[in-house]
Amino acid sequence: MLIQVLYFGSLREELGRAGESLAVPEGSRIIDAWHALNPDQPWPDNILCALNQDYVKSVALLHDGDELAFFPPVTGG
Amino acid sequence: MLIQVLYFGSLREELGRAGESLAVPEGSRIIDAWHALNPDQPWPDNILCALNQDYVKSVALLHDGDELAFFPPVTGG
Amino acid sequence: MIELKPSGFEPYPALLAHQASISQAGVAFGATCSFVGTLRDFNEGVTVSDMYLEHYPGMTEKFLARIADEARQHWNLVDLLLIHRVGAISPGEAIVLIAVWSVHRGDAFDACRYLIEQLKSRAPFWKRETLPGGSHRWVSANTDGYRGGSGQSGMDSAEGILA
Amino acid sequence: MIELKPSGFEPYPALLAHQASISQAGVAFGATCSFVGTLRDFNEGVTVSDMYLEHYPGMTEKFLARIADEARQHWNLVDLLLIHRVGAISPGEAIVLIAVWSVHRGDAFDACRYLIEQLKSRAPFWKRETLPGGSHRWVSANTDGYRGGSGQSGMDSAEGILA
């Protein structure tokens, strides 16, 4: 399965990447994608995840073609 | 003691008077002034009283020179 | 600033003019909450004619100044503006503007809500509605500002004309 | 109506323009509650430079549409308007406008408060503050919108810039 990954805000800057594609095996969850992409980074405190532009928890299952986003707490308004 | 009495809103219209002066004996309370001025009118439900432009209860004591107002529930805003 | 207006006013230009005076020394506020009450021209299918707003000269000003002081004491406010009409008012015209400026949004919201609730329940104003035939009736009471649903109380039909 | 603005906007003229479109069929609303968030130019004695508002194209619009739908379902609203800046923003400029029109005041107030609280806590926007030397830092978190007093929680210094 191929997914698209996006990073926003300070997380994008810390990682030095705005996004990337990732091939994951069936049954992968969000937290698995994080570790595959950032093997030397622990799961960040307070990180938020969106799957296809809806908030989800880190244990959510991934599907082919998903858009997965990671970002820090929001500060709009 | 001489007091000045004012009526507002629908009460002013029902009574047909906007205000009047009243001489009252020492120790008179607001409700006494009402009955002296309106002997054929029972104390109205929901009536509000202000003494010198502050809300008070009907048992408040009157003093010489007081401005006493009677009015129905307010409907501003 | 508190003002009783005997003729029509435009609430948002008034808000902006006041805000310009606040901003002269720098933009000290991050939050503005405002409320405008407007006379509707329709109430349950009946055309609403003009309204007359009676008040108690002296006590009305005193009461509004008091609730403004209470708001300033209770919340951290940069400034507030309260304008209320008196006299004859036509459908579509603003009846009341309350604007509150603060550093943080909670203070502006809570103070604005406090002011309108106090004003609606206690400020000495009385609305007399002109009926289509030219006669009039007094609006009997303000309510909690909700209609139906959510467990809120209802309101009588005369009040339904206004927020 | 929901809009993301890549350049400056004037909140009250925008509100009035939208209100004119509501009023064309008669004045159906009696209450308008609005909130404007403004970028301050001073934070605890330090001059604030520009801010950059990053967002998540697609999700931001989707999220704002959802909370607007929730507000319309939960309260009796005539209409609502939500405008939020994205991109570079200067002190004194509006960041967000929320305006809610309803028949009765409770609905407008509660829906407006709901929208700003949801937006502040969940809408995917991120503020990056430009420091006087030209470097920048990310604002770390929004808060409950109060500073001190009343048993409200505090907030960190970076957030203190904005309401």
Side-chain angles (χ1 to χ4, degrees):
Chain A
M1 310 192 299
L2 194 67
I3 65 167
Q4 191 64 28
V5 182
L6 302 170
Y7 306 104
F8 291 96
S10 56
L11 183 65
R12 173 180 55 69
E13 212 166 66
E14 284 157 20
L15 297 174
R17 315 192 301 272
E20 54 208 327
S21 295
L22 178 69
V24 291
E26 287 278 345
S28 292
R29 296 174 188 274
I30 285 177
I31 196 164
D32 303 322
W34 173 267
H35 289 304
L37 289 163
N38 303 285
D40 55 346
Q41 298 270 358
W43 179 254
D45 285 344
N46 296 326
I47 196 173
L48 298 170
C49 317
L51 196 56
N52 302 318
Q53 306 186 350
D54 283 320
Y55 282 105
V56 290
K57 299 198 186 265
S58 61
V59 294
L61 276 171
L62 295 167
H63 297 92
D64 189 47
D66 276 351
E67 177 179 304
L68 171 60
F70 294 108
F71 45 83
V74 304
T75 55
Chain B
M1 309 192 300
L2 193 68
I3 65 168
Q4 191 64 29
V5 182
L6 301 170
Y7 305 104
F8 291 97
S10 58
L11 183 65
R12 173 180 54 70
E13 215 168 64
E14 285 158 20
L15 297 175
R17 315 191 301 272
E20 53 209 327
S21 295
L22 177 69
V24 291
E26 288 277 345
S28 292
R29 297 175 187 273
I30 285 178
I31 195 163
D32 302 321
W34 172 268
H35 289 304
L37 289 163
N38 303 285
D40 54 347
Q41 297 270 357
W43 179 254
D45 285 345
N46 297 325
I47 196 172
L48 298 170
C49 316
L51 197 56
N52 301 318
Q53 308 186 351
D54 282 319
Y55 282 105
V56 289
K57 300 203 188 260
S58 62
V59 294
L61 276 171
L62 295 167
H63 298 90
D64 189 48
D66 276 352
E67 176 178 305
L68 170 61
F70 294 108
F71 46 81
V74 304
T75 55
Chain C
M1 193 171 75
I2 293 168
E3 205 173 346
L4 295 181
K5 285 266 190 194
S7 58
F9 74 104
E10 295 295 329
Y12 298 105
L15 186 162
L16 280 172
H18 193 77
Q19 182 168 291
S21 72
I22 304 172
S23 300
Q24 283 195 328
V27 184
F29 57 89
T32 312
C33 183
S34 73
F35 175 79
V36 174
T38 303
L39 181 57
R40 291 197 282 148
D41 62 359
F42 246 72
N43 182 35
E44 294 168 5
V46 176
T47 301
V48 174
S49 304
D50 287 358
M51 186 75 84
Y52 186 88
L53 281 163
E54 182 172 326
H55 74 294
Y56 180 171
M59 180 172 174
T60 306
E61 294 87 335
K62 187 176 177 181
F63 182 83
L64 297 179
R66 175 179 303 155
I67 60 175
D69 284 344
E70 287 170 358
R72 286 191 199 96
Q73 282 163 29
H74 198 80
W75 291 281
N76 290 321
L77 306 184
V78 173
D79 207 347
L80 66 85
L81 174 64
L82 194 166
I83 301 177
H84 200 290
R85 280 294 310 279
V86 295
I89 178 166
S90 299
E93 288 188 341
I95 300 166
V96 60
L97 162 70
I98 298 175
V100 180
W101 290 265
S102 64
V103 175
H104 303 289
R105 70 189 182 280
D107 296 300
F109 260 106
D110 290 351
C112 191
R113 187 68 180 265
Y114 175 79
L115 289 167
I116 189 62
E117 296 304 328
Q118 288 293 311
L119 189 158
K120 284 261 182 186
S121 63
R122 307 256 297 160
F125 293 103
W126 301 273
K127 288 188 190 115
R128 195 187 65 201
E129 184 192 0
T130 304
L131 298 177
S135 62
H136 65 255
R137 65 175 177 190
W138 293 89
V139 175
S140 60
N142 279 338
T143 69
D144 67 1
Y146 296 89
R147 174 184 291 266
S150 312
Q152 307 293 348
S153 73
M155 58 183 64
D156 65 35
S157 64
E159 205 287 324
I161 296 163
L162 298 151
Chain D
M1 192 172 73
I2 294 167
E3 204 174 345
L4 296 181
K5 285 264 191 194
S7 57
F9 74 104
E10 295 295 330
Y12 298 105
L15 186 163
L16 281 172
H18 192 76
Q19 183 168 290
S21 72
I22 304 172
S23 300
Q24 282 195 328
V27 184
F29 56 90
T32 312
C33 182
S34 73
F35 175 79
V36 174
T38 304
L39 182 57
R40 291 197 283 147
D41 62 359
F42 247 73
N43 182 37
E44 293 167 7
V46 176
T47 301
V48 173
S49 305
D50 287 357
M51 187 75 84
Y52 187 89
L53 280 164
E54 182 171 325
H55 74 293
Y56 179 171
M59 181 172 174
T60 306
E61 294 87 335
K62 187 175 176 179
F63 181 83
L64 296 179
R66 175 179 304 156
I67 60 174
D69 284 344
E70 287 169 358
R72 285 190 200 97
Q73 282 163 28
H74 198 79
W75 290 280
N76 289 322
L77 306 184
V78 172
D79 206 348
L80 67 85
L81 175 63
L82 194 166
I83 301 178
H84 201 289
R85 282 293 312 278
V86 295
I89 178 164
S90 299
E93 288 189 339
I95 299 166
V96 61
L97 162 70
I98 298 175
V100 180
W101 290 265
S102 64
V103 175
H104 303 289
R105 70 188 183 280
D107 296 300
F109 260 105
D110 290 352
C112 191
R113 186 68 181 266
Y114 175 79
L115 289 168
I116 190 62
E117 296 305 327
Q118 288 293 311
L119 190 158
K120 284 263 182 185
S121 63
R122 308 257 297 160
F125 292 103
W126 302 273
K127 288 187 189 115
R128 195 187 66 200
E129 183 192 1
T130 305
L131 298 176
S135 63
H136 65 254
R137 67 175 177 188
W138 294 88
V139 175
S140 61
N142 279 340
T143 69
D144 68 2
Y146 296 88
R147 174 184 291 267
S150 310
Q152 308 293 347
S153 72
M155 59 183 62
D156 64 36
S157 65
E159 205 286 323
I161 296 162
L162 297 152

